[in-house]
Amino acid sequence: MKILIITRYFFPQNLIAAFRLNAFAKYFSLAGHDVTVLTDGERDETTQWNGCEVHYVKDPVMTDSYLKECIIQKKKWRLKRIFIYLQHRFFYEARYLWKTKALKRARKLCSNNNYDVILSSFGDLSAHMITLSLRRHGHNFYWVADMRDEMSKNPLLSPSNVRRMEYRERMILNEADVVVSVSAPLIDGFKSMCRHDRFLEVRNGYDYDEILDINFQPQFTMAYVGNFYGQCFPDKWFRACSELLDERLLPPDFNIKIIGGDLTHSRIMAFVPENMTRNITIIDELPHDEAIKVSATGTDVLVMMHPSGRKGVYSGKLFDYLATNKPILALYDCNDVAAALIAETNSGFVVDESDNDGIKRLILKCYGMWQRHEVLPRNWDKIRQYTRRNQTHILLDHITRHVGATKDSSISAK
């Protein structure tokens, strides 16, 4: 099959959204398919990556690296950032001009290639809207719309943005040949907005060798890897640790590592209680492979957190943590999908973020495991279901069945 992937997030971006699309491209290619990727880039160029032809299209206003530099330097109102904001206000797409430029490239690619499949991925609306335009201009292909998480049902959206998103979301849902998301609750939300039942659950995963050899740090060490997104902040975790320190139930030299978060050092330290300032180590953003290595060899407990109210949403770091063989401490909804996955894999502990006593109890449980050099008996058979290769093949098997069936029916009709 000839497959075109359209996404704003792809290698070398150091983001969970990019890792998902990297895996689709890599494992489709390794399975013998002809894969092309159209994506955002620092310059206009075409190159090869893991057997895939990648077309990078530079945003004419602002690249991601420039935006990141503005954020780091706290330069909020540069002219280019104002223009990005205005695009979002007028078109509900912060990268509207990138979409227009990328659509021209997509039309040229489709004119020169007879793609069997186009996979578009939500991060903003650009990739889906490009694919919708291709479909409506007569290009024939099997459309996989990868939503990942919720769209208009995201509780962080304002009411006005929900209305604007819903209109586009319904068009995408009804036109796509299959809609992909990471969990059954999210799929149920999408089903309520359309007239069909063409959905598939494809979760995120990990893409490294399982860590079977265990090491323990000289000082008890907990770590959080990645961004504090949405309403996710470390204040409740820090408060529980502070109280345990005051109660002398944690050693005075215990360590918390914050690795590569989106908050500045000063904003992270603003959450830190006064008695814990010496216990915090902040490490700048690391490449994904290095972050996994630190997770597996430089920590004793891996912490994740997610505010209540968003059912069905996995944190991408959950899958990255799964095969490190370090206990996961999740401040999560105990009745949601992440808690069920942690339970079935026996990879850690879950507590509601509002349960301060419960958080303290589980921190002490992890501390006791560190003292005894105790390792959780993970369910490795379950865990290995969540390699990115295995999750990608769920989608690839579906595509193979349906695209083959489409071709057969087309031949019969002739």
Side-chain angles (χ1 to χ4, degrees), residues 173 186-199:
L173 290 171
L186 292 180
I187 288 175
D188 288 341
F190 290 123
K191 283 181 179 179
S192 70
M193 298 182 67
C194 65
R195 302 183 299 269
H196 65 80
D197 195 30
R198 302 188 300 272
F199 291 88

Side-chain angles (χ1 to χ4, degrees), residues 89-123:
R89 291 289 295 174
F90 283 109
F91 304 111
Y92 196 58
E93 294 177 60
R95 300 294 181 158
Y96 181 82
L97 292 185
W98 179 87
K99 185 199 76 173
T100 303
K101 185 177 176 182
L103 176 58
K104 291 180 181 178
R105 178 68 65 87
R107 286 174 175 166
K108 185 175 181 180
L109 286 170
C110 286
S111 296
N112 295 335
N113 299 274
N114 186 23
Y115 292 112
D116 300 294
V117 177
I118 295 183
L119 186 156
S120 60
S121 185
F122 179 67

Side-chain angles (χ1 to χ4, degrees), residues 212-282:
L212 301 179
D213 295 330
I214 307 301
N215 70 315
F216 294 87
Q217 306 310 299
Q219 291 84 31
F220 177 57
T221 301
M222 293 179 281
Y224 182 95
V225 183
N227 295 332
F228 295 103
Y229 48 85
Q231 299 301 309
C232 168
F233 296 109
D235 51 326
K236 297 177 178 65
W237 173 32
F238 286 175
R239 182 182 70 180
C241 291
S242 172
E243 292 178 8
L244 289 172
L245 195 59
D246 277 344
E247 295 163 9
R248 298 187 178 182
L249 295 175
L250 278 181
D253 63 349
F254 88 96
N255 190 19
I256 288 178
K257 293 180 179 178
I258 307 295
I259 303 170
D262 54 342
L263 301 180
T264 62
H265 287 217
S266 59
R267 285 194 67 197
I268 292 172
M269 294 306 294
F271 289 107
V272 179
E274 187 174 346
N275 66 335
M276 274 178 50
T277 55
R278 291 180 298 178
N279 301 97
I280 305 294
T281 302
I282 301 174

Side-chain angles (χ1 to χ4, degrees), residues 37 55 70 79 85 92 112 119 147 187-188 200 202 224 234 243 276 282 302 312 330 340 357 369 390 394-395:
V37 181
H55 296 259
C70 289
L79 183 60
Y85 171 76
Y92 196 58
N112 295 335
L119 186 156
M147 301 303 198
I187 288 175
D188 288 341
L200 184 68
V202 179
Y224 182 95
E243 292 178 8
M276 274 178 50
I282 301 174
L302 292 166
D357 289 340
M369 290 176 61
N390 286 340
I394 293 172
L395 176 56

Side-chain angles (χ1 to χ4, degrees), residues 31 69 115 137 150 168 179 224 254 257 268 277 297 346 348:
E69 177 189 339
Y115 292 112
H137 280 80
E150 73 271 67
R168 293 161 177 81
V179 178
Y224 182 95
F254 88 96
K257 293 180 179 178
I268 292 172
T277 55
T297 63
N346 196 36

Side-chain angles (χ1 to χ4, degrees), residues 208-209 211 213 215 217 225 257 259 286-299 302 320 324 326:
Y208 59 92
D209 292 334
I211 311 296
D213 295 330
N215 70 315
Q217 306 310 299
V225 183
K257 293 180 179 178
I259 303 170
L286 296 173
H288 188 239
D289 290 347
E290 291 185 30
I292 293 296
K293 184 177 180 180
V294 172
S295 300
T297 63
T299 68
L302 292 166
D320 276 345
T324 61
K326 300 292 184 178

